[in-house]
């Protein structure tokens, strides 16, 4: 009797320790098939060696399954240092994951240097209606931003920064009712901001280091939820004195543009303002006194047409 109990105990322990014996595979078969195709399309990189057909894909590195549905909801491939040859385009096979919510393909270099995922931003991403987060930053993407991305109903954040994207900001982005955080900096985007874009009530927006032109004042408004906005190093031109700012603003960077007019006195009411930079513009007049404006150093204001007053030199009579 004792030996029989010992045998049963050993079997129970083995069942607990062995997923193959003790538990049914969680992974949806169609999702596994799609992931294996993605691995193949990415040229079987080292970072995806855990993606083995004989193992449960919910246990694979870089992916996450929903705890209730067991469908793949996250792909998160991020390389902080060169580890593998990741030379392929973003594969269409990603579009075979209908429950995908988060897609991160960030900084994926060759083994020999910083040359990253190439090709355009794929329009098929618009088919993934559950997507809430897209991060394709720090890659080698080129071409224009597909207007189809404006059809994503649940998008909360879009990171396309630090690529080689060209063309305008799609007018379809004005249809993004979810008001996502948008990061398009360090590209070669050009043209004016489409009027439809001004309808958005964005919390975070970064359009810096592009070739954008025209009037961007529609991005601001006293009732908007803006917290951080970076329009620096473009060619925007508008009268800053007529702009109404939200009191929620924490960071406002407008340097290296063609802004003109005076600094509005309403800036002194922005109690949350921590970063402020209007250097290298065409502004004129006295810097308003109050709020956090005098807490910035001279480099936040210099190289304008005729700005004066603290922290710049005093205004002359």
């Amino acid at each position: 009797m004792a030996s029989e109990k010992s045998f049963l105990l050993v079997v129970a322990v083995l069942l607990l320790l062995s997923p193959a014996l003790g538990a049914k595979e969680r992974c949806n078969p169609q999702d596994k098939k799609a992931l294996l195709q993605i691995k193949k399309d990415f040229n079987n990189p080292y970072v995806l060696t855990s993606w083995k057909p004989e193992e449960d894909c919910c246990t694979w590195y870089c992916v996450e399954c929903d705890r209730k549905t067991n469908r793949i909801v996250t792909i998160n491939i991020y390389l902080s240092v060169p580890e593998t040859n990741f030379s392929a385009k973003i594969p269409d096979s990603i579009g075979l994951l209908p429950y995908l919510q988060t897609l991160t393909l960030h900084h994926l270099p060759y083994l020999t240097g910083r040359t990253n995922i190439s090709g355009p931003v794929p329009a098929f991403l618009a088919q993934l209606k559950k997507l809430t987060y897209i991060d394709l930053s720090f890659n080698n993407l080129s071409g224009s931003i597909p207007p189809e991305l404006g059809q994503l109903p649940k998008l909360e954040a879009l990171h396309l920064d630090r690529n080689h994207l060209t063309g305008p900001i799609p007018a379809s982005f004005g249809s993004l009712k979810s008001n996502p955080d948008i990061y398009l900096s360090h590209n070669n985007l050009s043209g004016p901001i489409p009027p439809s874009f001004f309808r958005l009530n964005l919390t975070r927006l970064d359009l810096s280091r592009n070739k954008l032109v025209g009037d961007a004042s529609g991005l601001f408004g006293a009732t908007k939820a803006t917290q951080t906005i970076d329009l620096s190093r473009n060619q925007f031109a508008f009268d800053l004195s007529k702009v109404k700012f939200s009191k929620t603003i924490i960071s406002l960077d407008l340097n290296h543009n063609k802004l003109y007019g005076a600094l509005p006195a309403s800036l002194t009411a922005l109690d949350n303002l921590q970063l402020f930079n209007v250097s290298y513009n065409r502004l004129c007049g006295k810097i308003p006194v109050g709020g956090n404006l005098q807490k910035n150093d001279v480099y936040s204001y210099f190289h304008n047409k005729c700005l004066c007053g603290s922290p710049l030199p005093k205004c002359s009579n």
Side-chain angles (χ1 to χ4, degrees), residues 115-137:
T115 305
N116 311 55
I117 285 183
S118 61
V121 177
F124 71 76
L125 293 178
Q127 303 170 15
L128 304 175
K129 299 301 183 182
K130 294 184 181 293
L131 273 177
T132 61
Y133 184 90
I134 300 175
D135 186 351
L136 303 179
S137 60

Side-chain angles (χ1 to χ4, degrees), residues 145 158 161 168-170 173 181-194 197-198 202 204-213 215-216 219-220 228-236 253-257:
I145 300 173
L158 176 63
D161 46 302
I169 296 173
F173 276 19
D181 297 339
I182 296 179
Y183 300 85
L184 304 178
S185 70
H186 294 76
N187 280 290
N188 294 304
L189 301 175
S190 59
I193 297 176
F197 199 83
F198 297 145
L202 304 177
R204 297 174 184 86
L205 175 65
D206 189 351
L207 303 179
S208 63
R209 293 179 182 268
N210 280 287
K211 299 175 181 177
L212 298 167
V213 301
D215 187 352
L219 295 172
F220 303 95
T228 64
I229 184 165
D230 191 344
L231 306 181
S232 63
R233 294 182 181 271
N234 281 284
Q235 300 177 42
F236 292 122
D253 196 344
L254 304 173
N255 78 80
H256 284 82
N257 279 286

Side-chain angles (χ1 to χ4, degrees), residues 74-311:
T74 297
I75 294 180
N76 185 0
I77 305 175
Y78 175 99
L79 298 182
S80 57
V81 294
E83 293 180 4
T84 185
N85 186 344
F86 233 110
S87 59
K89 297 188 298 183
I90 298 175
D92 294 350
S93 45
I94 290 177
L96 300 176
L97 297 171
Y99 289 84
L100 192 65
Q101 298 175 17
T102 298
L103 174 62
T104 300
L105 303 175
H106 178 86
H107 199 292
L108 305 177
Y110 286 120
L111 183 62
T112 55
R114 290 187 56 181
T115 305
N116 311 55
I117 285 183
S118 61
V121 177
F124 71 76
L125 293 178
Q127 303 170 15
L128 304 175
K129 299 301 183 182
K130 294 184 181 293
L131 273 177
T132 61
Y133 184 90
I134 300 175
D135 186 351
L136 303 179
S137 60
F138 285 84
N139 287 302
N140 210 16
L141 300 173
S142 58
S144 58
I145 300 173
E148 290 85 353
L149 295 184
Q151 302 170 11
L152 291 170
K154 298 183 178 181
L155 191 63
E156 296 176 2
L158 176 63
H159 294 255
L160 300 179
D161 46 302
R162 294 179 184 270
N163 281 287
H164 302 288
L165 301 175
T166 56
I169 296 173
S172 62
F173 276 19
S175 300
L176 289 168
K177 296 181 180 179
S178 54
N179 291 305
D181 297 339
I182 296 179
Y183 300 85
L184 304 178
S185 70
H186 294 76
N187 280 290
N188 294 304
L189 301 175
S190 59
I193 297 176
S196 60
F197 199 83
F198 297 145
R199 296 199 298 261
L200 298 176
N201 188 9
L202 304 177
T203 302
R204 297 174 184 86
L205 175 65
D206 189 351
L207 303 179
S208 63
R209 293 179 182 268
N210 280 287
K211 299 175 181 177
L212 298 167
V213 301
D215 187 352
S217 62
L219 295 172
F220 303 95
T223 61
K224 291 199 173 186
T226 311
Q227 292 184 9
T228 64
I229 184 165
D230 191 344
L231 306 181
S232 63
R233 294 182 181 271
N234 281 284
Q235 300 177 42
F236 292 122
F238 56 90
D239 187 348
L240 193 61
S241 65
K242 297 180 180 180
V243 174
K244 304 297 183 182
F245 295 99
S246 168
K247 291 187 177 182
T248 58
I249 289 182
I250 298 172
S251 176
L252 177 60
D253 196 344
L254 304 173
N255 78 80
H256 284 82
N257 279 286
K258 299 178 180 179
L259 309 186
Y260 55 90
L263 293 179
S266 59
L267 287 169
T268 62
L270 305 184
D271 296 332
N272 297 315
L273 188 63
Q274 299 175 14
L275 186 152
F276 180 67
N277 194 335
V278 290
S279 62
Y280 289 92
N281 278 288
R282 300 173 180 177
L283 299 169
C284 204
K286 183 178 181 180
I287 298 173
V289 177
N292 294 323
L293 294 186
Q294 275 65 48
K295 294 181 180 179
N296 297 285
D297 58 31
V298 64
Y299 299 105
S300 297
Y301 300 99
F302 76 158
H303 279 279
N304 272 283
K305 184 178 179 181
C306 53
L307 275 184
C308 58
S310 179

Side-chain angles (χ1 to χ4, degrees), residues 7-19:
F7 173 76
L8 292 174
L9 179 61
V10 170
V11 171
V13 171
L14 288 174
L15 287 173
L16 289 173
L17 295 178
S18 173

